[in-house]
Amino acid sequence: MAGGLKITLEFGGGAELLFGNSKKHEVTLPTCDKPWTIRNLLPWIKDNLLKERPELFLQGETVRPGILVLVNDADWELLGQLDYEIEAKDTILFISTLHGG
Amino acid sequence: MCSRNDQDDGLMEEKPKPLWTEVCQKCSAAKPVIQILQIKHAYCRDCFLAHVNHKFRSTLGKSKMMRPSDVVMAAFSGSVKSHVLLHLLHAGFSEKSHKRFLFKTQVLYIDEGAVLGLPLSDRSANLRLVAEMSEQYGFSAYFTSLSCQHDNQGLVCVPLNKDSALSVNVEFEAELNNLIANISSLTAKEDMLKQLRQQVLLRAAKELKCNKIFTAESSTDLAIHILTDVSLGRGAQMHHDVSFCDDRDEEVKILRPLLELSSKEIAFYSVYFKLSSVFIPSLCSKAQCDSSIHNLSKKFVMELMENFPSTVSTVFRTGEKLGSSSSTSVRGDQEDVCILCQVRLVGTAAPCSSSQATEFSRLISSLGPSGFDNNSLTCLPPTDDTFLGQSSCCGPSQNSETCCVKADVSGKCGSGQDMLTLSDVEKLCCYGCRLIVHDVKTVSGLPANIIETARIRKGLQSMRDSIKDFLL
């Protein structure tokens, strides 16, 4: 696992605004001894991708209420939410429903 | 080494699945992809999409309001929700003959970039994206600008296609910006914007000869609206703001065909159909969650969704059941509706009503301990018995002689039709809109048509007052 874990992160519904207005990020997660879960992915996103206002994306250890998370087009609530273990080539989509209009 | 994933690919099955079954609870065949909160069911993709489509059609069907001759204007902002609305409508038009929608549809985009301070290049780019999106469905599309409310005459809507260019009337835009800048709190700004948008929609619908407007509010939005409306003192009109049909306007009804769907369902629908959206920031984008009442209620509802999912639908259902008795009664003339939101005004307040108490405490607070005397009380809006004798055109002045003298000279009441003050406008507003007007600094910033209506109504009122004594 020298190359780390390659995954695609996508942001939509306004969440992309906090990530330099870019909707799609191909990232490689560094190798570590624990398996990558969404729980430890979120702080990584905060440190590496998030451009501004972390309080608008994260709340406590999870995402802010109103932001939906889809792993490979499936609801993360069916996959164990924060405890879902990320696999290579996963696509994780964060879509905000907080914006009216 | 985190090679655990590599070693056992089949680990997924062994994982404890929290509450949900392995298969879709509808077709029991495919793997579920979405958990729908209200039903507490896990659906697979196909069943979910069928479910959304069914809910949309049944909402329209149950209402028994759609006629084949109807012309519908779909309000399209480019957001996820409104794109889903277009997609669902399009799906309805492509159904097999017996299920196909028979009404006609047009699409309207309102450019609000001026209020948000977006550069013109961004606004034109947004317009082009919106044009592309609406074009793929083959609906005839139009666009207009929020600032058109400052223009009393002329056409509002411009056909929208790939090549249409955004033309900006600098004068009106400046007026609009002036109006928004004149409002101090974000809450009032948002509320004003909402009312303006509603008026533009209605006006455009009349121009395009549409008798119904579709807007894309989800049940989550409406739950937020309910709480906001109550906090803003719009409890009386909440019924119009959150039910399926808003029939405040006599000619054009505003319908909300997505109101049975939650924002989650809408978001998933758009993901599965890969519906693109234009993200146009709004006034409250990136704002602190406590910056306005609307943002606060949004935060509250979102947190409810997270922790107590079924409560949101309770809020929404409760709002749906509330109706006001006046809404069903026969329409009177256009005189007794609020000039901003067209809600029916509750004529004179009953003695000791809460709105009167609010007025009273505002008056006392603004006058201070020394400024209060017997005369001050007459500034309060008249109730049935106590203040009936006061002529409203002369304000608090006890001396109605002066008014009538002036009236003799000029032929009309001296307090003037051209001298429109904020308090005059306020009198023609409902309680909720009064709060907006309170926040406005000068009357001149208000849209032309509002000022015009206020003037006409004030003129009529003063005329009525001046002949009152001669009537038997």
Side-chain angles (χ1 to χ4, degrees), chain B residues 40-55:
Chain B
K40 301 225 184 302
H41 273 36
Y43 273 27
C44 72
R45 188 186 159 115
D46 292 341
C47 294
F48 165 70
L49 295 178
H51 154 88
V52 172
N53 200 2
H54 170 75
K55 260 194 175 178

Side-chain angles (χ1 to χ4, degrees), chain A residues 52-53 73 75 77 98, chain B residues 33 35 264 272 286 298:
Chain A
E52 51 180 322
R53 311 286 299 278
D73 279 355
D75 194 349
E77 307 203 29
L98 289 167
Chain B
V33 290
Q35 170 216 335
K264 180 177 178 179
Y272 292 148
K286 288 211 230 171
K298 192 190 276 183

Side-chain angles (χ1 to χ4, degrees), chain A residues 9-23:
Chain A
L9 296 175
E10 290 182 49
F11 302 93
E16 68 268 23
L17 238 65
L18 303 170
F19 294 87
N21 223 350
S22 138
K23 286 196 175 180

